[in-house]
C-alpha cells in the first residue's frame, strides 16, 4: 500500500513536469509566483436626469441614474448646502426627494456607486428648478392627521382641477402610501378630480399609514402645476364590521372577529327600499335634521318629514343612514317601515355611535335593490379584479409580499405603493 502511493505521487510529479516549457500563468517573467491582483473594474455611474446644468427643471423632479455598483447613494443639497432627504423607488427607476423642491433654486446631486468589495465612484450634476408658475392646483383629503380609521376606509385624494386622462399615470406615480405592516393596494380614479386607494383586503387592525401626494411642482395638465405636497399620517383601529340581513332583520356587530351585539333593524319599506351592498361609514354625527324636501319630497306631503335624528351614521350620498328611530322600535326585527335608512333603537344607536369609526364596513344583504356604484364610498362593492382596472398604471401582482417604502400604486413612499 505504501509503495503504491509513493509511485502514484511520482507519476503525478512527472506528468506535471512534462506539460511543456510555458510557465503557469500565475508565474511572472522572472520565474517567481506573481502576487499582483488584477485591477478591479471601475464602478460606472451615469445620471440620466436631470442633465448637468439643466434649468427650468420641475420642482417635482426625481434623480434618475444607472450604476453597476452593488449599492448606491444619492446626496441632494441646495446652494446653501442644506441636505434634502429622499428614497429610491422600489423598482430603482429613480430617487425621489422627500419633499417638494423650492421654485427657482439651484441643487446639486451627488450619486455614488459602491462595488461589493468597497470600491466607490461618484457622479455629480447641478441643476436649477423652474420659477413658480402662474397657474397652480392643490390636493386635499377627507382624512385628518392622526385620525383613527375603520378597516374599510379608502385613502381619498381630491384635486382642485381636472386631471386629464393622459396625465393620470404621471400624477399617480407621485401618490405614495406606506402601510405598516405592508399590505398590497392600488389607486382607482373615481373621476376627473378624485382618486381612491384601497388595499386588496380590509386593512389589518392596528395598521399605521403614511400618505404623500407628492404633487408639488408636478405638471398636472393645462400648464398647471401642483402648488405643494399633501402628507397624512394616520392609523387603523379595531376591525369593526356591521352586517345586516333583510331575511332576519338583524344586524351583527363584531370587533376583531368577536360578536359584540346583535341589533334588531327595520329597513326601507317597499316604496322606499334600502340598498344592499358593501358600504363604509362616511359621516357620523350626534344629530342631524332629516328633511324630505332635500330630495324633492315636500315636508307637508303624505310621505314628507322634517325630523331631528340622533346618532346618524351615513353610508350613501343619496341619504341612507344607520340611525336612532325610537318611533319604529316596535317594528325593528319584524318589518320594514323606513324611508330607506336602517332604523335601530335609541339605545342601540347611541351604543353603536360610541363603537364605530369613519371607514368601518357596513354590509347589507337581501333588500329589494343594490347600491349604485359610487353612491357613497363603495370601493368594496366590486371585486379586486375589477378595482385594479381603475388604475392609470397597469396592475402587476407583486412577486413577493409588499414591503414598506414609497410606492406608486397602493401602499406608500417611493418604495411603497403607486399602482
Amino acid at each position: 500500500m505504501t509503495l503504491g502511493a509513493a509511485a502514484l505521487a511520482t507519476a503525478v510529479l512527472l506528468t506535471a513536469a512534462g506539460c511543456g516549457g510555458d510557465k503557469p500563468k500565475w508565474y511572472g517573467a522572472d520565474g517567481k509566483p506573481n502576487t499582483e491582483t488584477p485591477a478591479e473594474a471601475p464602478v460606472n455611474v451615469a445620471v440620466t436626469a436631470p442633465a448637468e446644468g439643466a434649468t427650468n427643471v420641475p420642482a417635482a423632479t426625481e434623480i434618475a441614474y444607472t450604476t453597476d455598483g452593488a449599492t448606491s447613494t444619492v446626496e441632494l443639497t441646495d446652494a446653501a448646502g442644506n441636505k434634502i432627504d429622499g428614497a429610491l423607488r422600489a423598482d430603482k427607476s429613480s430617487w425621489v426627494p422627500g419633499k417638494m423642491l423650492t421654485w427657482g433654486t439651484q441643487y446639486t446631486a451627488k450619486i455614488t456607486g459602491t462595488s461589493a468589495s468597497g470600491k466607490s465612484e461618484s457622479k455629480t450634476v447641478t441643476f436649477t428648478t423652474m420659477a413658480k408658475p402662474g397657474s397652480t392646483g392643490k390636493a386635499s383629503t377627507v382624512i385628518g392627521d392622526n385620525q383613527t380609521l375603520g378597516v374599510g376606509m379608502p385613502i381619498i385624494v381630491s384635486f382642485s382641477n381636472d386631471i386629464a386622462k393622459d396625465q393620470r399615470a404621471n400624477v399617480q406615480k407621485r401618490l405614495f402610501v406606506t402601510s405598516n405592516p405592508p399590505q398590497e393596494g392600488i389607486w382607482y380614479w373615481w373621476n376627473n378630480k378624485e382618486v381612491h386607494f384601497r388595499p386588496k383586503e380590509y386593512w389589518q387592525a392596528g395598521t399605521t399609514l403614511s400618505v404623500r401626494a407628492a404633487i408639488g411642482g408636478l405638471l398636472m395638465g393645462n400648464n398647471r402645476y401642483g402648488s405643494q405636497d399633501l402628507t397624512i399620517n394616520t392609523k387603523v383601529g379595531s376591525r369593526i364590521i356591521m352586517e345586516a340581513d333583510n331575511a332576519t332583520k338583524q344586524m351583527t356587530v363584531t370587533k376583531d372577529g368577536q360578536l359584540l351585539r346583535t341589533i334588531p333593524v327595520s329597513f326601507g319599506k317597499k316604496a322606499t327600499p334600502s340598498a344592499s351592498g358593501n358600504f363604509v361609514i362616511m359621516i357620523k354625527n350626534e344629530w342631524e335634521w332629516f328633511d324630505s324636501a332635500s330630495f324633492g319630497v315636500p315636508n307637508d306631503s303624505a310621505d314628507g318629514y322634517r325630523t331631528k335624528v340622533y346618532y346618524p351614521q351615513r353610508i350613501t350620498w343619496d341619504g341612507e343612514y344607520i340611525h336612532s328611530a325610537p318611533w319604529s322600535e316596535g317594528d325593528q326585527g319584524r318589518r320594514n317601515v323606513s324611508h330607506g335608512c336602517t332604523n335601530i333603537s335609541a339605545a342601540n344607536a347611541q351604543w353603536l355611535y360610541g363603537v364605530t369609526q369613519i371607514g368601518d364596513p357596513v354590509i347589507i344583504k337581501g333588500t329589494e335593490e343594490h347600491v349604485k356604484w359610487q353612491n357613497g364610498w363603495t370601493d368594496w362593492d366590486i371585486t379586486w379584479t375589477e378595482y385594479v382596472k381603475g388604475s392609470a398604471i397597469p396592475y402587476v401582482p407583486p412577486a413577493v409580499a409588499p414591503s414598506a417604502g414609497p410606492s406608486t400604486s397602493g401602499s406608500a413612499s417611493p418604495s411603497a405603493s403607486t399602482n
Side-chain angles (χ1 to χ4, degrees):
M1 293 291 291
T2 304
L3 291 174
L8 178 59
T10 302
V12 171
L13 291 172
L14 290 174
T15 302
C19 287
D22 293 337
K23 293 183 175 62
K25 292 181 180 179
W26 57 86
Y27 276 69
D30 58 0
K32 296 181 180 180
N34 187 354
T35 59
E36 294 182 6
T37 302
E40 185 176 353
V43 180
N44 296 308
V45 177
V47 181
T48 56
E52 167 60 26
T55 58
N56 205 36
V57 174
T61 193
E62 301 179 13
I63 311 301
Y65 65 92
T66 60
T67 178
D68 52 14
T71 61
S72 62
T73 60
V74 177
E75 295 179 31
L76 180 65
T77 55
D78 62 18
N82 298 309
K83 183 180 177 182
I84 291 83
D85 292 330
L88 193 64
R89 284 188 178 273
D91 63 3
K92 301 183 179 180
S93 59
S94 62
W95 184 89
V96 182
K99 65 178 183 179
M100 172 188 171
L101 302 185
T102 303
W103 305 112
T105 301
Q106 186 180 84
Y107 290 89
T108 298
K110 178 182 179 182
I111 297 88
T112 301
T114 304
S115 69
S117 66
K119 180 181 176 62
S120 296
E121 293 192 20
S122 299
K123 177 73 175 180
T124 300
V125 295
T126 299
F127 62 91
T128 303
T129 55
M130 64 188 291
K132 184 176 180 178
S135 181
T136 60
K138 63 179 182 179
S140 61
T141 182
V142 297
I143 300 170
D145 257 341
N146 301 315
Q147 181 179 357
T148 299
L149 307 173
V151 297
M153 183 65 187
I155 305 300
I156 300 171
V157 175
S158 300
F159 303 98
S160 59
N161 57 281
D162 286 351
I163 307 298
K165 286 187 176 181
D166 61 358
Q167 292 294 327
R168 290 181 186 176
N170 290 334
V171 172
Q172 186 174 322
K173 286 181 67 177
R174 298 284 295 182
L175 304 179
F176 303 122
V177 180
T178 303
S179 62
N180 186 20
Q183 290 148 77
E184 181 186 3
I186 200 165
W187 292 97
Y188 183 106
W189 285 88
W190 214 243
N191 53 46
N192 292 340
K193 290 186 175 181
E194 185 172 302
V195 62
H196 290 204
F197 180 91
R198 60 155 269 202
K200 187 174 183 178
E201 308 291 343
Y202 289 147
W203 295 112
Q204 295 177 38
T207 295
T208 58
L209 294 169
S210 176
V211 180
R212 180 188 176 200
I215 65 160
L218 181 69
L219 179 62
M220 299 168 68
N222 298 321
N223 206 32
R224 188 189 301 266
Y225 290 78
S227 60
Q228 60 188 23
D229 290 355
L230 170 70
T231 59
I232 318 158
N233 293 292
T234 188
K235 59 184 177 181
V236 177
S238 300
R239 184 183 174 91
I240 303 292
I241 298 180
M242 290 150 276
E243 293 191 51
D245 194 333
N246 190 31
T248 61
K249 295 177 177 51
Q250 303 288 323
M251 172 190 287
T252 59
V253 184
T254 59
K255 178 180 180 180
D256 298 328
Q258 300 297 312
L259 178 65
L260 294 182
R261 186 173 291 196
T262 299
I263 298 174
V265 301
S266 180
F267 294 117
K269 55 186 180 288
K270 288 186 178 181
T272 54
S274 301
S276 292
N278 292 271
F279 311 86
V280 298
I281 300 295
M282 300 190 297
I283 300 169
K284 50 182 293 188
N285 290 305
E286 291 192 10
W287 61 269
E288 288 184 34
W289 283 105
F290 279 22
D291 191 337
S292 62
S294 64
F295 55 89
V297 180
N299 299 150
D300 57 0
S301 67
D303 214 27
Y305 55 87
R306 176 173 167 76
T307 306
K308 191 175 186 179
V309 174
Y310 290 89
Y311 305 111
Q313 303 196 56
R314 189 169 199 151
I315 60 173
T316 72
W317 292 126
D318 67 359
E320 291 193 33
Y321 291 75
I322 303 168
H323 65 78
S324 170
W327 56 85
S328 70
E329 288 186 11
D331 299 299
Q332 292 164 21
R334 300 180 179 182
R335 62 188 68 85
N336 295 332
V337 298
S338 84
H339 292 89
C341 290
T342 300
N343 287 183
I344 59 178
S345 72
N348 282 327
Q350 184 175 9
W351 172 83
L352 188 64
Y353 181 86
V355 169
T356 60
Q357 303 287 347
I358 300 299
D360 282 340
V362 178
I363 303 166
I364 297 178
K365 304 175 182 178
T367 60
E368 291 85 351
E369 62 180 38
H370 196 88
V371 67
K372 293 180 180 177
W373 175 240
Q374 296 186 333
N375 183 9
W377 297 335
T378 54
D379 300 71
W380 297 99
D381 205 54
I382 59 175
T383 65
W384 177 252
T385 301
E386 288 298 314
Y387 199 84
V388 300
K389 295 177 182 178
S391 171
I393 299 172
Y395 170 63
V396 178
V400 294
S403 60
S407 125
T408 52
S409 56
S411 2
S413 103
S415 56
S417 238
T418 52
N419 284 355

